[in-house]
Amino acid sequence: LEPGDQALDSGKPNSSSDLPLESLKKVLTEDSAAGKVKRKRAQTPLEKYYLKYLCVTDLSTQSWCEQQMVYGRELPQLQVPETVVLLNTGKSIHLARELEVHDVVRVHVTSREDSWAIKILNLLSVIPELQAGGCVRELPVFGVIEDVFLMGIIDELCYSATGELELRELKTRGRPFMPSGAQKKRDYFQVCLYKYIFDAMVQGKLKPDVITSHIQLRPEQPLGSQIREHAQKVGFTVTCFGDLLELMYLNLTLSDIPGIDCLKIEYSHQESNTLLGTEVVRFEEEKVREKAQHYLAYWKGQREVQGVEIEEAWKCQSCSYSEICDWRKKRAEGPEQRTVKKFV
Ligand code: SF4
């Protein structure tokens, strides 16, 4: 309680400047009527879409065109069918690759904590594999950037012949050639974010309370019976969600798993399943942070949504939302200059 609240609560003034209760009520009523009482602040996009966290792919998609990412969330039914087919085929290929190294087990969940427990168990179960120098696929990673919780799934982590920990991201393409520079830039940002989050995790920066406070989960929540049974099978005895969080924190920080040394993106052609090429990505922490800061400012309501800048207007030609795009219309109409922050 603030001192003023106390005065309202007890009906007694607590300083020389305090007014008696009836006078305070009168002042408040008059102020409200005169429109002086603060209006409710506008919702941030995170609040508007009821999001407690973002996916790494939300940010990488945003780096292609932020306005398109927003339309994709609000009007997914307008996406051209070819894009949907391409995405679904990509998902099937990823699942097939995961099944080459993991078994998929169905587990019944009874609470939000149970759903997150599965993600954490998936992570915990691959740590020994990584410690032993093995290769893991579909590794969940979590972290916080600019006070926003982010989640992602790393396609593959392996040790190279020289002992470096290598991240490999698989991108499948509908066309049998390498992507444009702009598409590569989006993919580079995605893998850099994975490294940023993963390295923070193994450096012990992801404390249990960071997860519970951002996602609003209860550490004392008992885990469902199927989750506890599954945890037992993979070697962990746990009763509540907090037990799993502690285990994750300890296992990550005491495991001696290094940070990621090398980032690689493999592009392959969906239909023929042939490798089109491999890109090695340079990680520049400062640039990644600056870029993430810019994109997260939109989610936190610190700036308006932006579309592509004039030099990238070619992106609008293949965009599912070009007919309805507000950004595009205003750019065509107005003398007003719209500027978009440019990253190289
Ligand atoms: Fe972005 Fe252009 Fe599509 Fe609008 S039309 S959403 S600016 S790509």
Side-chain angles (χ1 to χ4, degrees):
L1 288 173
E2 296 295 320
D5 295 328
Q6 223 172 348
L8 271 172
D9 224 28
S10 62
K12 289 179 200 155
N14 66 352
S15 79
S16 57
S17 63
D18 286 330
L19 293 166
L21 182 61
E22 281 317 303
S23 312
L24 268 171
K25 278 183 184 166
K26 192 166 170 277
V27 170
L28 278 173
T29 316
E30 280 168 5
D31 277 355
S32 310
K36 287 185 194 164
V37 170
K38 265 192 201 162
R39 287 182 201 289
K40 214 175 149 205
R41 69 170 175 82
Q43 279 185 321
T44 68
L46 279 174
E47 291 163 343
K48 181 177 162 196
Y49 301 114
Y50 303 102
L51 298 172
K52 293 196 170 56
Y53 67 92
L54 292 174
C55 293
V56 165
T57 44
D58 288 325
L59 262 67
S60 56
T61 315
Q62 193 178 354
S63 73
W64 175 261
C65 172
E66 190 171 270
Q67 179 66 82
Q68 191 187 67
M69 182 272 301
V70 172
Y71 283 138
R73 188 168 279 279
E74 290 180 348
L75 302 162
Q77 69 279 15
L78 292 190
Q79 259 185 3
V80 290
E82 296 79 55
T83 312
V84 179
V85 171
L86 205 67
L87 290 173
N88 288 341
T89 315
K91 278 183 198 159
S92 311
I93 293 170
H94 276 274
L95 180 62
R97 274 170 59 99
E98 188 186 0
L99 290 175
E100 285 171 13
V101 290
H102 298 148
D103 289 329
V104 174
V105 183
R106 283 199 177 277
V107 182
H108 179 67
V109 296
T110 55
S111 64
R112 286 181 61 232
E113 285 76 9
D114 274 4
S115 306
W116 278 85
I118 291 180
K119 296 180 181 64
I120 294 171
L121 280 169
N122 284 343
L123 171 63
L124 277 170
S125 60
V126 300
I127 291 177
E129 195 78 30
L130 272 179
Q131 276 178 301
C135 180
V136 298
R137 286 196 184 148
E138 304 292 315
L139 175 92
V141 284
F142 327 103
V144 175
I145 306 183
E146 290 293 309
D147 205 32
V148 176
F149 196 87
L150 286 180
M151 199 204 126
I153 310 250
I154 293 179
D155 272 355
E156 191 170 310
L157 273 185
C158 276
Y159 289 93
S160 67
T162 53
E164 289 188 319
L165 187 57
E166 211 171 83
L167 177 150
R168 294 178 197 156
E169 171 74 18
L170 172 73
K171 294 280 177 214
T172 58
R173 293 182 47 75
R175 295 177 185 178
F177 44 81
M178 286 292 273
S180 66
Q183 285 167 314
K184 284 184 191 167
K185 230 161 72 177
R186 174 193 58 195
D187 301 339
Y188 293 174
F189 184 43
Q190 182 181 349
V191 293
C192 285
L193 283 171
Y194 287 145
K195 172 175 163 59
Y196 192 99
I197 296 174
F198 179 86
D199 288 2
M201 283 170 79
V202 296
Q203 287 160 9
K205 291 180 186 162
L206 184 66
K207 304 251 168 36
D209 64 321
V210 172
I211 300 184
T212 49
S213 62
H214 276 87
I215 315 289
Q216 288 160 22
L217 297 166
R218 300 155 294 177
E220 70 288 353
Q221 170 69 21
L223 294 167
S225 59
Q226 288 205 12
I227 299 281
R228 279 182 280 125
E229 275 166 33
H230 181 64
Q232 193 82 51
K233 275 188 207 148
V234 290
F236 304 108
T237 307
V238 284
T239 52
C240 65
F241 183 61
D243 293 345
L244 258 187
L245 289 173
E246 287 296 334
L247 271 173
M248 180 185 81
Y249 179 69
L250 290 174
N251 271 269
L252 279 169
T253 46
L254 303 175
S255 62
D256 284 336
I257 297 173
I260 295 168
D261 299 298
C262 175
L263 298 168
K264 279 187 182 167
I265 307 175
E266 289 175 358
Y267 293 95
S268 71
H269 181 220
Q270 269 187 2
E271 206 182 302
S272 61
N273 197 23
T274 45
L275 181 69
L276 301 171
T278 302
E279 290 284 314
V280 176
V281 182
R282 213 167 92 205
F283 178 76
E284 290 168 285
E285 188 170 338
E286 203 42 56
K287 279 193 182 165
V288 176
R289 217 188 354 245
E290 193 198 341
K291 225 169 151 173
Q293 199 170 34
H294 172 72
Y295 294 125
L296 290 170
Y298 158 73
W299 288 103
K300 295 198 281 184
Q302 293 166 350
R303 62 170 175 81
E304 290 295 314
V305 63
Q306 296 175 340
V308 293
E309 52 195 315
I310 199 81
E311 308 92 87
E312 293 203 316
W314 54 267
K315 287 181 180 175
C316 306
Q317 286 163 18
S318 58
C319 175
S320 304
Y321 306 100
S322 58
E323 294 296 313
I324 57 147
C325 178
D326 203 31
W327 176 272
R328 195 169 178 234
K329 270 185 221 152
K330 284 192 181 142
R331 200 186 47 207
E333 283 164 9
E336 164 200 2
Q337 277 292 318
R338 301 195 133 205
T339 51
V340 178
K341 188 155 182 172
K342 199 172 179 181
F343 294 100
V344 284

